[in-house]
Amino acid sequence: MVSEQAAQVLVASNRGPVSYTLRDDGALEARRGGGGLVSGLSAIGPDTDAVWVCAALGDGDREAVRRTGGRLDPEDTGGQRVRMLGIAPDVYADAYNGVANSTLWFVHHLLYQTPLEPSFGAEFRAQWASYEAYNRAFAEALADEAGDGASVLVQDYHLALVPGMLRALRPDLRIGHFSHTPWAPVDYFRLLPDDIARQLLRGILGADRAAFLTHRWADAFTACCTELLGGTGNTRIGVHGLGADADFLRERAHRPDVDERIASLREEIGGTDRRTIVRVDRTELSKNIVRGLLAYRQLLTDHPEWRERVVHVAFAYPSRQDLSVYRDYTAEVQRVADAINLDFGTYGWLPVVLHVKDDFARSLAAYRLADVALVNPIRDGMNLVAKEIPVVSENGCVLVLSREAGAYEELGEDALVVNPYDVTATATALHEALTMPQDERAERTKRLAAAATALPPSQWFLDQLEALRA
């Protein structure tokens, strides 16, 4: 049954534009988020009837769904129509942690230790049934909310089955799917059970258009479809590289709270004369933080002239701490940073300034202070940090960039490109970055910032919508 307020533009994603916390007094406190999808929906204009379908992520969200029936109060969402789904917690946990984050994420980022994992048995099959149920809940909600011939933009690996399910329910809709992650090469994708690998591909091919952040990921998806299904059928394949929001970043980076964080960071660094190597990441396995620290250690070993003259400002914000492998990785990041400080630190110099508590203002402060940005993921769909730092850096910033980041496709020409597994070569690149002449540094930063902001989030969204309707 189609909603009486049928929408013409719909977005579906695991996380929505608002989250709720249940206070001790029983009141619900709403907190709005940001990002490309929020900017994109704002950009389509108030005259377009739009709705965002998302999942309840925690107890506060589930209570909001219980009180509202899932159609949230526009006062909480900035006027955006939002349909939040109260999926059963055990089903959600299996779909989100068991399949999306512990299986699909690992496949697309090539993270498995294959002598030991994966092992797809009865437990995984039960989790897969939950993933199907989770996707079906989204498909049914979208079918309910969408007007005749509406455009639906489905987001990411969490919802890979939605396009096919929605197509069966509403063949009149224009459906797009966007993958924010890399896509695995054929041989690695085939780690998945054959039936599930084909089901995932057919799910996405239920869309009129499947889009990716880079040509590399789009080509990998096409290769998987060709190998397992004989082709992509009638589904069009597109590429939309997500850029940084320059206006927002430059304005936000000069607010008083960021100035305060700069003062604090300078005190931790030990004055204004020392150079800074900056990284800002979640402690996600694919971000390669440990090898980055080992490369910095190698720099201090190979080039002792940098001791007491450079500080590695490393922000490693905990991610997915409900999974033991992520807790262990976060602990290893702390251990390696502590070891570097113990072995090399002096009375007036802390080689690594490590922060593990998320603080956006402090991240922007580090961006402004960066002489070198270290972005060395094992594999990354895009990596916006690589695009944001050159936009905000005050004195010019050299980008040391992994060739396995999606951003390499757009920024590689003006970055120092590294193999993320090669610690020695990364240390050499850090030395080259630190010794680069100021005029070359400034020119590279200027070109990096231009490339990084070529497709801001609102335009990224609108381009997809236009391409879907073409």
Side-chain angles (χ1 to χ4, degrees), residues 89-366:
D90 57 337
V91 172
Y92 180 83
D94 277 355
Y96 184 72
N97 285 329
V99 175
N101 287 344
S102 294
T103 303
L104 301 183
W105 182 272
F106 273 59
V107 167
H108 289 315
H109 290 83
L110 316 186
L111 293 176
Y112 280 121
Q113 299 181 64
T114 53
L116 300 174
E117 55 185 11
S119 181
F120 297 117
E123 181 183 7
F124 174 75
R125 291 288 174 170
Q127 292 171 335
W128 183 256
S130 292
Y131 183 78
E132 291 175 312
Y134 163 85
N135 275 254
R136 192 173 302 110
F138 271 86
E140 290 172 353
L142 290 165
D144 178 45
E145 296 286 343
D148 292 340
S151 299
V152 183
L153 293 170
V154 181
Q155 305 297 311
D156 229 356
Y157 61 105
H158 313 89
L159 303 177
L161 304 182
V162 167
M165 292 175 170
L166 183 57
R167 175 69 63 208
L169 294 170
R170 291 288 303 276
D172 61 301
L173 300 179
R174 295 179 180 182
I175 305 170
H177 185 277
F178 193 90
S179 293
H180 295 260
T181 65
W183 193 272
V186 172
D187 288 347
Y188 211 89
F189 187 72
R190 297 205 74 169
L191 290 176
L192 292 166
D194 289 351
D195 60 319
I196 284 173
R198 291 189 175 94
Q199 190 179 348
L200 283 164
L201 295 174
R202 289 193 185 103
I204 292 177
L205 293 179
D208 296 284
R209 193 168 184 274
F212 300 84
L213 286 164
T214 72
H215 290 90
R216 182 182 181 187
W217 313 142
D219 290 347
F221 174 78
T222 300
C224 288
C225 291
T226 300
E227 176 77 15
L228 277 75
L229 302 178
T232 56
N234 295 321
T235 301
R236 293 175 287 143
I237 307 299
V239 173
H240 300 276
L242 177 60
D245 187 339
D247 291 341
F248 166 73
L249 284 170
R250 287 171 177 145
E251 184 277 325
R252 182 65 184 87
H254 288 85
R255 292 184 193 174
D257 60 339
V258 178
D259 292 334
E260 291 171 7
R261 303 301 195 284
I262 284 179
S264 297
L265 276 176
R266 281 196 172 126
E267 190 172 333
E268 289 185 89
I269 292 165
T272 59
D273 294 335
R274 285 178 175 149
R275 310 298 288 277
T276 57
I277 299 171
V278 169
R279 82 171 306 136
V280 177
D281 277 313
R282 293 175 295 111
T283 51
E284 211 294 312
L285 306 181
S286 66
K287 299 300 184 183
N288 208 23
I289 301 169
V290 170
R291 287 191 190 91
L293 287 165
L294 294 176
Y296 177 64
R297 182 188 187 98
Q298 193 68 46
L299 170 74
L300 298 179
T301 300
D302 294 345
H303 295 279
E305 68 270 23
W306 284 115
R307 297 178 191 179
E308 301 199 67
R309 293 179 55 213
V310 66
V311 173
H312 187 12
V313 179
F315 296 165
Y317 300 141
S319 173
R320 299 174 183 169
Q321 295 298 291
D322 46 350
L323 299 176
S324 61
V325 65
Y326 283 86
R327 293 195 298 273
D328 292 345
Y329 187 73
T330 302
E332 180 64 6
V333 168
Q334 184 72 61
R335 187 196 70 77
V336 174
D338 289 345
I340 293 171
N341 285 335
L342 181 64
D343 292 346
F344 291 93
T346 63
Y347 175 74
W349 172 57
L350 192 67
V352 180
V353 172
L354 177 68
H355 284 281
V356 296
K357 184 177 180 182
D358 198 349
D359 184 331
F360 184 54
R362 188 175 58 214
S363 297
L364 290 172

Side-chain angles (χ1 to χ4, degrees), residues 22 25-28 61-71:
L22 186 61
D25 62 2
L28 283 170
D61 287 356
R62 281 187 277 273
E63 179 61 18
V65 170
R66 189 189 69 78
R67 295 183 188 183
T68 64
R71 290 185 171 88

